[in-house]
Amino acid sequence: MPKVFITGGAGYVGSHCIVEFLNSGYDVVVVDNMVNAIMGDKGKPTSLVRVEKLTGKTIAFHEVDLLNEAKLKEVFAANGPFDCVVHFAALKSVGESCKIPLRYYSNNISGSINLLNVMAECGCKSIVFSSSATVYGDPQKLPVTEEHPTGSCTNTYGKTKFMMEEMMRDVCVADPEWKAIMLRYFNPVGAHPSGEIGEDPRGIPNNLMPYVSQVAVGARPKLSVFGNDYNTPDGTGVRDYIHVMDLATGHVAAVKKIVDPALKGWKPYNLGTGNGNSVLEVVQAFEAASGKKVPYEIAPRRAGDIAVTYADCSLATKELGWKAEKSLADMCADCWRWQSKNPQGFQVSSNL
Amino acid sequence: MPKVFITGGAGYVGSHCIVEFLNSGYDVVVVDNMVNAIMGDKGKPTSLVRVEKLTGKTIAFHEVDLLNEAKLKEVFAANGPFDCVVHFAALKSVGESCKIPLRYYSNNISGSINLLNVMAECGCKSIVFSSSATVYGDPQKLPVTEEHPTGSCTNTYGKTKFMMEEMMRDVCVADPEWKAIMLRYFNPVGAHPSGEIGEDPRGIPNNLMPYVSQVAVGARPKLSVFGNDYNTPDGTGVRDYIHVMDLATGHVAAVKKIVDPALKGWKPYNLGTGNGNSVLEVVQAFEAASGKKVPYEIAPRRAGDIAVTYADCSLATKELGWKAEKSLADMCADCWRWQSKNPQGFQVSSNL
């Protein structure tokens, strides 16, 4: 089985993907800088302690910041050789990225350049990258295919994802030994069905579903819906929400693809369901799944928000043999199970 | 007088600008990593030893690679405070950038991010950046104004310049204490009129004028003209060549502007003459200036080359009070003086 080096593995998407990698028999070595994660027992993030419990496997974990290239190289060289890297590590708050852009450029761009340098030096030239639908900017055509132009994103977070895509594209063009798969996530939500791991945002959640679930659990009084005058059926913004466990199977499929000698060069794939749901549809589905009321108020539009986006995922189905399986009801039910079992996320429950 | 921290000051544009800064009474501290420069006496690059001779002033020089953030910070903190930074340091070969993109991204992007971090930490938040007309890609409209869309460059070198512009734009938007002037150079050529300093490319020159002058001096047998079937008067590519000493006065004007409290935020300025000259016009002008024959042959177009570009420089005239003064004949005469006095550049002549 392939041996995979995973960056940012303590985070939301990373930890759920690791469940799938371990259940599929992959050997993984995980690094994270712990800036957005809670440290648990045995020097491992609580999220990964839970993943060990869920899978019955032990995870090799190292606390490494990608900005420390020397330490990264030491850990990479000592634990390899690796068949590929799955690169989750990044700061990901759109709003914060516009307030402290230099920190985002340092962390996301310089950190990734260090990673590529270390990979090249160690002879590992295959990378699966956590990209984002944000690289498409405001979609010119729906559903969004991988052919859609990229780069017209207006926030720093999105620019870092776009720049990294371009860097990896150039690296693959220059050296045919390099392969890079860009997984362009639409809106990852939900949690592992066990409710043991899930999304654990620091401070006020930036994304809809964690906010809704915090309102449902009573941690916040009400949801603000930013704009109900968009050109959509109910006036609220429409997104393509994808269950994080579907995202996880997408990563396993991408790793299978990248270790196949037939794959060459740089390839982007959309990961979504292909369906758009409005904010109010998500609220309704969450109320149904949780049996809780989610009070909301209509607030002004947020600068930079787009009206509608959803994915055409046929390329991933055709070339990766992958398709999202879980419904919006699944996403809400699993998110609610995580939230209600862990009302304070990993912070407090890790001490239970 | 303002105190200016200069990166990449041993290079072609940097060294000529330092002449102007010193002659205008500015206090400068210069760093360079010496990867494309020749070391001369007293631990200083030969180019700067010559600048000292030309100006009668002593230059504070430190060998620093921007990738070594700790050393950069040490030198910056120990020699400051600085009123602003003029950031020339970058790898700049278009062809090479597409062959070794990771090196270009590391050097140009990570190095610049380190520089911005060190500046922020030391409380210096004003930067004049060596950008390039390459950020405009293939011009949609001529002459090119600063309003022209940027970012559609196809080579890694150009992408690094565009990405740095975007990073500095975001930093200025987030923090009103930051100011950044992007100087978008068209095609810098020529040399200091003394012939003591000039362009000293490693290996085969990437740019037209150094190649022409090496042919004129007998170092290369003939010039290859890449394409004579462009939609231009004589079929060869048209560029806006600007004398490097005009570029130098442009940098002095930009520093004056950036230290003015009235300037806020992020500002791009084109630096060119506003005139386009074809390859064959340059060859003719060079033959006239040098009295030497420049044999050439027509070769196929190079991938990525555009047909025509030239600048609208009225914004720099209006806001910086700057205008290019020197003619194509001046550019050729000064380039030839440098080339004929230093047929091997700084390499050999530094030992004379």
Side-chain angles (χ1 to χ4, degrees), chain A residues 122-138:
Chain A
C122 295
C124 172
K125 295 184 172 178
S126 297
I127 186 166
V128 174
F129 177 60
S130 291
S131 190
S132 167
T134 190
V135 299
Y136 297 122
D138 198 349

Side-chain angles (χ1 to χ4, degrees), chain A residues 23-46:
Chain A
N23 285 342
S24 306
Y26 287 75
D27 192 3
V28 304
V29 173
V30 180
V31 297
D32 200 290
N33 68 359
M34 300 301 294
V35 299
N36 278 327
I38 305 291
M39 189 57 92
D41 303 332
K42 298 176 285 174
K44 287 181 192 174
T46 304

